[in-house]
Each structure stands twice: as structure tokens, then as C-alpha cells.
Amino acid sequence: MSTANRLYALDGAKIIIDSQWLIFGENRKLTAPCPVFLIEHSRGLVLFDTGVAPEAWDDPVAVYGQGLLDVCNLVLPPENRLDRQLANFGYTAADVTHVVVSHGHWDHTGGMYLFPQAQMYMSIEDMRYSFWPDPMYAGFFRNGADLERTRSFQWNPLRWDLDLFGDGSIQIIRTPGHTEGELSMLVKLPSRNFLLTADSVHVRSQIDQVSPCPVDMNAAASIQSIQRMTQLAAAHQADIWVMHDEDDWARLGGTDGYK
């Protein structure tokens, strides 16, 4: 079985949000990082998620509206815009060959338009929800705006797990619950393996307590996905990286990459 060559965690926007949106029974302010992951493989350069829209760095209200920003206070360090983060590791958007979008929420889809040359992957369910979300969940999607900009791109709608290069090194895992088509990613490196959760969980305590998020679309499916991630991590001796967990970012992020 082969491995990917290297994994980089690209720092992005931060969201300051009341914990009651993410954790049952809590009421405190959380600072949730919004990283993007870049994976070098002999057959291509893979991006997992695309973060907040780069134009939001100039005018977040124009991009997302004041209503959303009243709930999710965005912190946008200038150096963390996606194109600048790619440049930090010697790449441009044109170098990315594969983009995997974990789900259709606004803080994961904002930079998709930067990659017209890439093979694009998202679950078939989240592609639908991005355009036609149920009213209760509509505030988490941009009413198709991000997908509309990529309509002519090379899309690969996913209905199942996918071993991206057929060698076990980068596996797209279906972990529904937060959205109907939520995706996680298993990355195998020469010295270390990671299971990147995306929003299958938002904070590590959800794994410890096997607890869904209050705004998950399907709580029962979330519980099953948490159990699946735990089993996969154990089977592959992978470290679970909870993408929005500030302690996980402090522990694992901010490095020159893993290989």
C-alpha cells in the first residue's frame, strides 16, 4: 500500500461563535479555526475543503450578510487568505489537481472557484442542498452561489466512499449527519496517518461523548458516523484531527507539514 508524500494544514479564517451552536449543554464563546488541508501525492496535489471566500477578506458583510456575521463573528488575518496560504508552501491555485469539499456549508465552499482546472468532489446530497436547502438549514448554505461559480468545472458527485488514487493513501469517507452527505478524509503518510473530520464533529468532546451537534441535520446518523470514525482511526492507527477544534489546531497545526 502506498502513502501520500506530505500533508500541510493551511491556516484560514477564525469563527468566534457561541458554543450552544456546537455543543449540547454549553454556553461560552469558542474560537473555531477554519483550516484547509493540502496533500502532496505522486499523482497530484489534493486540497481538502476551500474555507471562507477570499473576497470576504475585503468585505465580509457584502459576501455573507450581516445576519450571518451576527452569529458567526469572522476573524480574517490578512496572511490567512487561501491564495496566500498556498503561496507559503510554494504553490498556486493552478497547481491543485483535486479538490474535495467536505460539505456545502459556507465556511468550506468559499474558495472553490479558484480551481477551474481541478477535479472537484462533493457528495451528491450536498450538491443538491447547496442549491435547494430545506428552510431550517438554509442559513448554512449560500443558496448555490459558490457552486454556481463552478458549474462548468470537472465535478465528480460522490454517492459512496472513494479511494482517490486507488492505493489507500487518500480515502474519502462518507460520514453523514451534520449534513446528509458530509465527507471526512483518511490520509496515510510515511510516518503518520490522519483522519480529518471536517464537520462530522466540531469539537473533540463530541467524539468522547459520542454526541451530535445541535444543528446536525440527522443526529442518529451523526452518532453512527462518530462511531465509524473512531473505528477507522483505530484500524488505521490514525490521529483524528477535528478541524474546528481550537485545541487540535494548537496541538497539530502551524507546522511545516507532516510526512
Side-chain angles (χ1 to χ4, degrees):
M1 182 173 291
S2 299
T3 63
N5 299 329
R6 196 171 186 127
L7 179 147
Y8 300 100
L10 280 56
D11 205 355
K14 304 289 191 296
I15 298 175
I16 301 175
I17 189 170
D18 195 303
S19 62
Q20 65 181 337
W21 288 93
L22 305 180
I23 313 166
F24 282 108
E26 286 199 13
N27 188 8
R28 58 187 174 92
K29 289 294 183 184
L30 289 177
T31 299
C34 298
V36 169
F37 292 91
L38 188 69
I39 305 123
E40 295 175 348
H41 188 278
S42 60
R43 289 177 54 188
L45 187 65
V46 180
L47 197 70
F48 185 44
D49 275 336
T50 67
V52 168
E55 58 266 34
W57 264 255
D58 296 319
D59 193 345
V61 175
V63 176
Y64 293 117
Q66 190 60 54
L68 176 64
L69 298 180
D70 287 341
V71 176
C72 302
N73 182 25
L74 279 179
V75 178
L76 301 166
E79 67 276 12
N80 285 8
R81 201 175 71 186
L82 181 54
D83 55 339
R84 294 168 183 161
Q85 282 289 302
L86 287 169
N88 285 343
F89 298 104
Y91 291 109
T92 68
D95 296 317
V96 176
T97 59
H98 299 72
V99 175
V100 180
V101 184
S102 65
H103 63 298
H105 285 176
W106 61 272
D107 55 321
H108 297 258
T109 59
M112 295 191 305
Y113 72 92
L114 297 173
F115 307 100
Q117 76 294 333
Q119 293 290 325
M120 307 289 291
Y121 300 82
M122 186 190 287
S123 71
I124 189 69
E125 296 93 339
D126 273 69
M127 292 185 79
R128 195 280 279 184
Y129 262 90
S130 293
F131 284 106
W132 299 290
D134 293 337
M136 179 177 178
Y137 301 104
F140 298 103
F141 299 87
R142 289 192 68 202
N143 296 322
D146 290 328
L147 266 180
E148 187 62 45
R149 300 170 80 178
T150 66
R151 185 180 287 274
S152 64
F153 289 13
Q154 302 171 78
W155 277 103
N156 298 271
L158 294 179
R159 296 169 175 83
W160 40 71
D161 292 354
L162 180 66
D163 184 348
L164 190 59
F165 295 117
D167 61 3
S169 63
I170 302 175
Q171 299 178 40
I172 306 171
I173 309 295
R174 288 179 64 90
T175 49
H178 181 58
T179 65
E180 293 295 340
E182 175 77 37
L183 304 172
S184 300
M185 180 178 282
L186 178 66
V187 180
K188 295 190 172 184
L189 300 166
S191 64
R192 191 170 186 177
N193 301 330
F194 287 101
L195 181 58
L196 310 175
T197 68
D199 283 10
S200 303
V201 290
H202 291 77
V203 292
R204 184 160 290 274
S205 62
Q206 287 181 258
I207 299 175
D208 301 333
Q209 300 168 17
V210 195
S211 172
C213 168
V215 295
D216 285 349
M217 296 176 67
N218 187 328
S222 289
I223 291 171
Q224 293 172 5
S225 291
I226 292 169
Q227 293 169 333
R228 185 184 190 205
M229 287 190 297
T230 302
Q231 293 163 359
L232 282 170
H236 294 280
Q237 296 181 300
D239 291 311
I240 296 177
W241 191 330
V242 182
M243 288 172 61
H244 283 313
D245 188 287
E246 56 188 322
D247 292 333
D248 272 23
W249 178 259
R251 180 171 58 91
L252 297 168
T255 72
D256 290 332
Y258 294 95
K259 58 184 180 178

